[in-house]
Amino acid sequence: LNRIIPRLIKDNKLGVYKKADFVLNFWVVHEVSDKKSFFTQIYNSLKPEGQYLIAEPNMHTSKKYFDELEKLCITTGFKVKGRPKVTISRALLLVKK
């Protein structure tokens, strides 16, 4: 339990000051208004080679939308590590370059 630190974002700031090995966003990115800023903050919160898993619900996100998210993550600096299967979701595993 002491290894998982949930965060409630306020004023579009993550408020993360310790570097993380892994970040998970499960069914939340489609709710974020400024995705570029969000992804940049996540990128900056990760340790070198840190991993980031995004899972978005199929019922709220199209393939085209998810492909655009992937492109935005790549322009932020992430590298695609994989596309894991997550039930009724589109998922992307990224790594900090």
Side-chain angles (χ1 to χ4, degrees):
L1 290 175
N2 63 348
R3 294 178 52 155
I4 298 172
I5 305 168
R7 293 285 177 196
L8 176 61
I9 297 172
K10 295 182 181 181
D11 301 322
N12 294 323
K13 303 286 186 246
L14 290 178
V16 175
Y17 304 103
K18 285 180 78 175
K19 299 288 184 179
D21 295 308
F22 179 78
V23 172
L24 168 65
N25 286 146
F26 195 84
W27 288 24
V28 72
V29 174
H30 66 277
E31 301 287 348
V32 174
S33 57
D34 185 352
K35 291 171 183 53
K36 177 66 175 169
S37 174
F38 185 70
F39 291 146
T40 299
Q41 289 180 67
I42 290 171
Y43 186 88
N44 291 335
S45 74
L46 283 168
K47 293 177 182 176
E49 302 300 316
Q51 296 184 39
Y52 176 36
L53 177 60
I54 301 171
E56 286 290 280
N58 285 338
M59 64 284 247
H60 290 300
T61 59
S62 66
K63 180 177 178 341
K64 180 180 177 182
Y65 168 85
F66 204 74
D67 289 345
E68 291 299 316
L69 282 184
E70 181 177 331
K71 288 178 189 174
L72 186 55
C73 288
I74 291 168
T75 62
T76 302
F78 287 103
K79 179 180 174 188
V80 176
K81 185 170 183 180
R83 292 173 182 79
K85 292 188 186 298
V86 177
T87 303
I88 65 169
S89 303
R90 301 177 199 285
L92 187 60
L93 180 60
L94 304 155
V95 65
K96 182 175 183 175
K97 291 194 238 179

